[in-house]
Amino acid sequence: MSALLPEVPALPDRPLIHPGKRIFDFSIAILMLALLAPFCVFVLPLLLVLGKWRLQGREAIGARGRPVRLLRIVATAPHGATATNTAYQDFPLLFALLDGRLSLVGPRPIGPHELNDFGGISHPRFSVIPGMFCLWGLRMRSNINYGTESDADLEYVRDSSLRGDFGILGRALLARLYSADAGHCAATQSISGIRFLNLSMDNLLDAIVCSLNNRMRTHIAFVNPDCVNIAAGDAAYRASLSKCDWVCADGIGMKIAGKLLRRPIRQNINGTDLFPRLCGELAKSGHSLYLLGARNGVAEAAANWARSHYPALKVAGTRSGYFSESEEPALLQEIRMTGAQVLLVAMGAPRQELWLERNLETSGALVGIGVGGLFDFYSGRVPRAPMWLREIGGEWVYRLLMEPGRMWRRYLVGNWVFLFRIAIEKLTAGRKKGSAA
Ligand code: UDP
């Protein structure tokens, strides 16, 4: 293994670990080992001797590229079948925590075969001790693992502090309560009769660029629990969603629904997180963007944000989302004249989806996306929830606090209605399965 790893003098000369962090890691390891002492002294040796469980080792790359060996407990499989995980699989990691091979929080301990994904051993992630909990893992669980693991590791190393570690640890433990690793996801998933394309953000961006390059007209909708509630009572909206080319699952509520129904949702795909990435892609590809929606001046302010962050981006035009039916033909003509290829419509659900269904073709745009309150965020009119709150699925709490008058019904009532709807769906799905068997 060490032959695979070059020497690492290039790494920044910074302390590998804060003394407080080491004391914390050590204390937690001692505490957990003390709590699990009966398991460690009686149960584990017995099951190992009986051959029910065995220890499986793997090589990982530790701090400064040093090889470390990590063990886990697996259940012995009959006749050479693949060993399966056990509830105690990570127990031996406590010893790695005790002797400093691992920290509680740090970048994921990767294997040598993954080194290339991080551009080699000079990646700053190797300047700190790998951890049992990591920022990337937390974001995977919360469904907001956009970008790459390497970026998340860079962010972790850049902002690394004892306080930050406590935050990651707390959020990671909290996220375990309500989320699940998406694991293997079906390509499409149906929740409450709405068919979702189970994409990642990167897949969606690639697909948008592909639509633009192939001149394929594409209508995209983001559906959150509030939209599911609206769709349940609005046949026109339901029909419009069924005609959309791609419907994406937006928000932690959809992830929870996917977990309860055992139909895992790959990623939280929403307009607000898509926007900067889309601007970046369009700036590269040269396609132009029109922003339609929100109050007077808000779309223009969002466009200014995009222009300042992506100078090569062509913003074809902007317009507020408050207009009468009689103004619509002139508006459509205006959009058409700009030659915009991507049209973002921020008029809230279901209005934006119905509007795009009727008018996308006439507008001349190739890709139309309903984006809800996106312009409000990027214009600075409404602040967006801080990242730590998004990582625990609490963005809705922040939106509620920011606009209580507008949001209380959506969240304080709507969330429960949505969960009730999902519970009924689970019960009826279970019953159908039962009667089919
Ligand atoms: N809006 C609009 N025209 C309308 C109604 C609403 O442009 O006739 C705008 C409104 O100003 C806000 C957005 O639509 O900017 C709706 O945002 P909301 O927070 O409801 O969407 P979400 O992000 O929750 O989907």
Side-chain angles (χ1 to χ4, degrees), residues 224 293-295 321-322 346-348 351 372-373 376 399 406-407 410:
N224 59 28
R295 297 182 195 170
Y322 294 86
M347 301 197 293
R351 191 170 179 223
D376 292 327
R399 291 198 72 183
R406 196 165 81 87
M407 296 297 179
R410 179 186 295 191

Side-chain angles (χ1 to χ4, degrees), residues 209 276-289 306-307 309-314:
V209 173
R277 294 168 174 87
L278 179 66
C279 290
E281 284 299 327
L282 298 182
K284 266 193 264 161
S285 68
H287 295 100
S288 62
L289 180 68
R307 285 186 193 106
H309 286 79
Y310 303 91
L313 176 71
K314 290 187 218 153

Side-chain angles (χ1 to χ4, degrees), residues 195-435:
R195 203 172 164 76
F196 295 91
L197 208 54
N198 215 356
L199 295 172
S200 71
M201 188 69 89
D202 288 345
N203 297 153
L204 179 64
L205 282 167
D206 290 346
I208 291 174
V209 173
C210 182
S211 281
L212 290 168
N213 289 338
N214 293 305
R215 303 200 56 76
M216 276 159 48
R217 186 146 285 117
T218 309
H219 178 185
I220 304 169
F222 301 110
V223 166
N224 59 28
D226 181 49
C227 302
V228 171
N229 288 341
I230 297 172
D234 184 334
Y237 180 42
R238 272 203 307 279
S240 175
L241 287 178
S242 70
K243 283 185 235 157
C244 270
D245 297 285
W246 307 327
V247 178
C248 304
D250 168 1
I252 191 70
M254 302 309 297
K255 166 114 183 162
I256 292 172
K259 179 178 169 157
L260 291 174
L261 295 168
R262 292 178 187 251
R263 298 170 203 160
I265 296 294
R266 178 165 307 184
Q267 234 175 42
N268 172 356
I269 307 290
N270 59 81
T272 314
D273 285 313
L274 173 74
F275 187 59
R277 294 168 174 87
L278 179 66
C279 290
E281 284 299 327
L282 298 182
K284 266 193 264 161
S285 68
H287 295 100
S288 62
L289 180 68
Y290 194 102
L291 273 52
L292 170 66
R295 297 182 195 170
N296 256 337
V298 174
E300 187 51 33
N304 285 338
W305 180 92
R307 285 186 193 106
S308 66
H309 286 79
Y310 303 91
L313 176 71
K314 290 187 218 153
V315 180
T318 64
R319 169 85 189 244
S320 109
Y322 294 86
F323 48 84
S324 64
E325 230 173 273
S326 61
E327 290 173 282
E328 218 166 81
L331 166 65
L332 285 165
Q333 171 73 359
E334 181 191 311
I335 300 174
R336 213 183 167 83
M337 295 294 287
T338 65
Q341 285 137 324
V342 177
L343 174 59
L344 300 188
V345 182
M347 301 197 293
R351 191 170 179 223
Q352 59 200 15
E353 278 73 32
L354 298 173
W355 194 91
L356 274 169
E357 185 193 344
R358 283 198 314 274
N359 298 312
L360 179 59
E361 199 172 338
T362 323
S363 74
L366 288 169
V367 174
I369 316 178
V371 291
L374 183 149
F375 303 164
D376 292 327
F377 296 128
Y378 284 93
S379 66
R381 197 188 79 76
V382 178
R384 193 169 184 205
M387 194 59 181
W388 67 266
L389 200 51
R390 281 186 262 157
E391 283 169 352
I392 53 170
E395 183 159 20
W396 65 274
V397 178
Y398 194 82
R399 291 198 72 183
L400 176 64
L401 294 175
M402 288 299 110
E403 298 182 273
R406 196 165 81 87
M407 296 297 179
W408 72 268
R409 194 184 296 270
R410 179 186 295 191
Y411 295 127
L412 296 184
V413 181
N415 282 356
W416 293 108
V417 172
F418 174 73
L419 285 178
F420 183 69
R421 210 180 285 293
I422 298 303
I424 299 282
E425 187 170 346
K426 177 148 178 94
L427 283 177
T428 46
R431 229 176 259 155
K432 266 186 210 153
K433 232 189 231 168
S435 54

Side-chain angles (χ1 to χ4, degrees), residues 90-101:
D90 290 334
F91 173 75
L93 295 185
L94 289 177
F95 294 98
L97 189 64
L98 195 66
D99 65 24
R101 273 171 293 156

Side-chain angles (χ1 to χ4, degrees), residues 135-145 152 155 387 391:
L135 187 61
W136 178 248
L138 162 62
R139 291 188 181 161
M140 292 248 283
R141 284 205 163 251
S142 313
N143 251 22
I144 53 170
N145 50 325
E155 188 182 326
M387 194 59 181
E391 283 169 352

